[in-house]
Amino acid sequence: MSNLEPLIADLALILICAGVMTLLFKRLKQPIVLGYIVAGFLASPNMSYMPSVTDMHGIHMWSEIGVIFLLFALGLEFSFKKILKMGAAPIIAALAIIFAMMYVGAFTGHLFGWKEMDCIYLGGMLAMSSTTIIFKAFDDMGLRNERFAGLVLSVLIIEDILAIVLMVMLSTLAVSKEFEGSQMLLSILQLAFFLVLWFVVGIYLIPLFLRKAKKLMNEETLLITALALCFGMVVFASAVGFSAAFGAFVMGSILSETVEAEQIEHLVSPVKNLFGAIFFVSVGMMVDVALIIEYIVPILCIIAAIMIGQTVFSTGGFLLSGQSLKTSMKCSFSLTQIGEFAFILATLGTSLKVTSDFLYPIVVAVSVFTTFTTPYMIRLAEPAYNALARILPAKLLEKLERNSDDKNDKEETDEMRALWRKERNNYIFVLVVNSVLCTAIIALMYYYGAPVIYDMLPDPWSGIVTAIVTLFICAPFLWAMMRRGGDSDNVNKLWYEGSRMDRVKITALGLFRIVLGAFFVAYIIGNTLPRSGIFGIFAIIVVVFLIFVSPHAQKRSEEIAKTFHENLNQKEAENA
């Protein structure tokens, strides 16, 4: 019990300070997240005039759990389907913001004569806004259901995804002193692969499991099950090289498509509030007045770079994505902070010994200050827009205030182009999903199934059985890859009423699908059976043909697709 006493005492101190500060800030009608940060400063070892925590390692561990719960709750609120419905706008805005802010950060570092790696890492830190802080601010201010808030959260999620790629790039740069294009491409492909795999398999299996266990589910068992799924995904995501918070977000987004999503969110909310409070308190503990005074000039300049850079370049990024000026400014003023990713990146630079010791305390101070100012910047957006609207020329303002929704919803004048675009997207979706599933099945068979079969059977039977089992499992997905597509009526209309080029594109797409399916068959046969020249080619052709015409593969494929679509639209169907 004695080993737990400092941890329990620290928790008591944190919760007492947090409780007092949240009541005070609620009384002052200020966002509660600011009260947590003040509580952290008061409870930190840097505040010598008050009792302070003694076990910072334990606090750090709890704060990491807080980030997991906050991202899990974010996933429950904001699913991948919502991102897709937002269209390309968040992607365009996120890319523009990241590249612009990385340049701003690197330029600011160069002004102080810092070394190259300090400048590059500072640019990466400034490029990512804080999902948890903005999410909490929107929640406290009652803005979470506003359209601009949806756009901001979409951009933040895309930034979190791209942050993983950025970390790989900077790690590679730190080690090799140059960007490795092949490794970066591999990281991006790996990220895309696991995202598709997790989402498709999760949407297929988890709603089925919850339906089967529905009679056994009460509030307690549902909470434990949801947290088990969350932390299971956290462990799996960490095992394959991604962050724990990213795994929590993915599982939250999968559970958000189930009918139990609202109940899970309600049950998780108290736990999220507890550990989320510890996370924000831990941020406040990082404030060191002596270090702030020592580096006050760089801190103020970086704060100014964030405030000006985000409001200008983020507004430009959202305008570029087709948003109105007012919406763009509301979004950009919400992004004027750095958060937890900056701490991760600063730790990475320190552990690789490529950044200077002063960079971490500077980033902490900037993060705390910008966390404080986030709610006020959100409130400042509309007055800033009104002031800008008064000085802009009327014609320019009218152009900038174009309604992107009307533009996006405008009826397509070229019906055949619209049909082709729709069918092309459907085919791409089918090809990507089934290619990922086939790749995962092949990898699992080679790593886990094949060794067992090779221990049980002699050559060449072990290779033959491995190939047959792999092909049997992959058959419904190979069938879908080669034959499933979009709406047959639309395809027929394109074929008979469209141009000659439409028929060429449909034919080329059909041939490509068969060739892709043949590639997977050839890979399975070529890596499990002895190479035999013409016989091997003949075997590939026969297997492709059998799968192409197989009623069994078709039936299994249609059953899987039906279950997936029912699970994906289950919540909408229940609410209808």
Side-chain angles (χ1 to χ4, degrees):
M1 183 66 186
S2 60
N3 292 332
L4 295 177
E5 287 178 358
L7 200 61
I8 294 172
D10 289 344
L11 180 60
L13 178 61
I14 286 172
L15 294 180
I16 291 170
C17 291
V20 172
M21 286 298 107
T22 52
L23 290 173
L24 176 61
F25 274 69
K26 195 73 175 177
R27 175 71 175 174
L28 298 174
K29 298 181 179 180
Q30 300 300 315
I32 293 176
V33 66
L34 302 182
Y36 289 144
I37 293 173
V38 172
F41 175 70
L42 295 176
S44 71
N46 299 318
M47 193 67 175
S48 57
Y49 303 103
M50 292 187 65
S52 60
V53 299
T54 57
D55 186 3
M56 289 300 295
H57 175 73
I59 303 302
H60 178 68
M61 179 184 66
W62 280 344
S63 70
E64 287 186 347
I65 297 174
V67 173
I68 289 172
F69 277 114
L70 287 168
L71 268 293
F72 180 57
L74 177 60
L76 287 170
E77 282 282 327
F78 201 76
S79 68
F80 279 119
K81 282 177 68 178
K82 293 180 181 178
I83 298 176
L84 293 175
K85 288 178 182 178
M86 301 297 280
I91 299 174
I92 295 171
L95 289 172
I97 292 166
I98 288 172
F99 284 116
M101 290 307 298
M102 284 193 71
Y103 178 80
V104 168
F107 178 77
T108 304
H110 280 298
L111 289 179
F112 290 100
W114 294 348
K115 64 181 185 180
E116 192 69 27
M117 292 305 296
D118 287 336
C119 297
I120 293 173
Y121 269 76
L122 179 63
M125 294 173 200
L126 268 58
M128 304 294 170
S129 298
S130 173
T131 304
T132 51
I133 291 168
I134 296 175
F135 180 71
K136 183 69 175 174
F138 282 160
D139 199 25
D140 291 345
M141 299 171 72
L143 299 173
R144 204 165 54 186
N145 294 322
E146 295 286 332
R147 184 180 180 278
F148 87 91
L151 276 169
V152 170
L153 293 174
S154 297
V155 168
L156 290 169
I157 291 168
I158 294 167
E159 285 186 353
D160 288 341
I161 294 171
L162 294 175
I164 299 167
V165 181
L166 180 60
M167 287 183 67
V168 174
M169 291 168 59
L170 292 177
S171 300
T172 304
L173 180 63
V175 175
S176 63
K177 306 302 180 184
E178 60 182 10
F179 285 106
E180 291 287 344
S182 58
Q183 186 172 351
M184 286 187 287
L185 179 61
L186 182 63
S187 300
I188 294 170
L189 291 176
Q190 183 187 23
L191 175 62
F193 173 83
F194 279 108
L195 273 176
V196 173
L197 181 64
W198 288 337
F199 186 71
V200 172
V201 175
I203 290 296
Y204 182 79
L205 292 179
I206 291 175
L208 281 178
F209 166 73
L210 292 176
R211 281 202 296 271
K212 294 289 184 182
K214 188 172 183 179
K215 292 182 179 179
L216 304 174
M217 289 288 184
N218 56 23
E219 288 192 348
E220 182 179 358
T221 54
L222 182 59
L223 173 62
I224 298 302
T225 301
L227 295 183
L229 291 169
C230 171
F231 281 90
M233 181 61 80
V234 164
V235 172
F236 186 69
S238 298
V240 296
F242 301 120
S243 69
F246 183 66
F249 163 74
V250 170
M251 182 50 67
S253 68
I254 292 170
L255 288 173
S256 72
E257 306 302 339
T258 65
V259 293
E260 293 84 4
E262 291 184 7
Q263 188 178 3
I264 292 172
E265 183 185 356
H266 172 72
L267 293 172
V268 170
S269 182
V271 187
K272 177 204 72 174
N273 290 339
L274 170 63
F275 285 100
I278 295 173
F279 166 73
F280 288 109
V281 168
S282 71
V283 173
M285 288 182 183
M286 296 177 189
V287 177
D288 189 334
V289 176
L291 286 174
I292 291 176
I293 295 171
E294 184 178 354
Y295 294 103
I296 189 64
V297 175
I299 288 171
L300 291 176
C301 290
I302 293 171
I303 290 171
I306 293 171
M307 297 292 183
I308 298 171
Q310 282 286 11
T311 52
V312 174
F313 291 113
S314 295
T315 298
F318 282 103
L319 285 172
L320 187 65
S321 70
Q323 304 306 310
S324 66
L325 177 61
K326 187 173 186 178
T327 300
S328 298
M329 290 186 67
K330 283 185 175 182
C331 293
S332 65
F333 275 67
S334 303
L335 296 171
T336 52
Q337 77 290 121
I338 58 174
E340 56 280 352
F341 176 73
F343 305 142
I344 296 170
L345 201 56
T347 304
L348 176 67
T350 303
S351 63
L352 293 173
K353 301 186 184 303
V354 295
T355 57
S356 303
D357 294 336
F358 62 79
L359 195 59
Y360 194 96
I362 286 177
V363 169
V364 169
V366 171
S367 175
V368 171
F369 183 87
T370 53
T371 298
F372 261 107
T373 59
T374 294
Y376 304 105
M377 291 298 292
I378 294 172
R379 290 172 180 158
L380 185 62
E382 194 153 349
Y385 164 76
N386 293 332
L388 184 61
R390 285 194 292 270
I391 62 176
L392 285 176
K395 289 185 178 180
L396 177 60
L397 181 62
E398 185 180 354
K399 185 177 180 180
L400 293 175
E401 279 298 342
R402 62 191 182 280
N403 191 314
S404 60
D405 292 332
D406 292 342
K407 182 178 72 174
N408 293 334
D409 294 336
K410 186 172 64 176
E411 186 177 354
E412 179 67 61
T413 56
D414 189 343
E415 183 183 1
M416 291 303 167
R417 282 182 61 192
L419 280 178
W420 164 248
R421 189 180 298 113
K422 180 180 178 182
E423 296 310 306
R424 179 199 62 196
N425 293 340
N426 287 335
Y427 281 121
I428 290 173
F429 176 79
V430 169
L431 290 176
V432 169
V433 168
N434 287 284
S435 295
V436 167
L437 291 173
C438 286
T439 303
I441 291 168
I442 293 170
L444 290 172
M445 279 299 300
Y446 284 169
Y447 279 102
Y448 300 105
V452 175
I453 296 173
Y454 275 81
D455 287 341
M456 294 173 59
L457 298 173
D459 288 331
W461 294 107
S462 55
I464 294 172
V465 171
T466 301
I468 291 173
V469 172
T470 306
L471 287 168
F472 179 78
I473 299 173
C474 288
F477 308 112
L478 291 170
W479 185 92
M481 189 186 302
M482 293 186 288
R483 298 197 60 177
R484 185 179 299 282
D487 191 311
S488 57
D489 292 335
N490 290 343
V491 175
N492 290 334
K493 189 171 185 178
L494 283 167
W495 184 267
Y496 292 109
E497 299 180 24
S499 65
R500 185 176 180 180
M501 183 55 66
D502 289 330
R503 291 190 287 274
V504 171
K505 289 188 287 188
I506 291 171
T507 303
L509 188 55
L511 290 173
F512 174 75
R513 296 167 67 195
I514 295 173
V515 170
L516 184 61
F519 168 79
F520 278 99
V521 172
Y523 187 84
I524 293 168
I525 292 176
N527 283 274
T528 52
L529 297 178
R531 299 181 184 275
S532 51
I534 298 299
F535 176 77
I537 296 173
F538 177 74
I540 293 168
I541 294 172
V542 170
V543 171
V544 169
F545 176 77
L546 290 176
I547 294 174
F548 192 85
V549 300
S550 170
H552 179 68
Q554 178 181 358
K555 182 180 178 181
R556 287 171 60 204
S557 176
E558 289 175 347
E559 288 174 352
I560 292 170
K562 181 181 178 183
T563 302
F564 177 80
H565 285 290
E566 285 177 352
N567 290 346
L568 188 62
N569 300 306
Q570 182 182 18
K571 189 160 66 173
E572 287 81 354
E574 290 280 341
N575 295 333

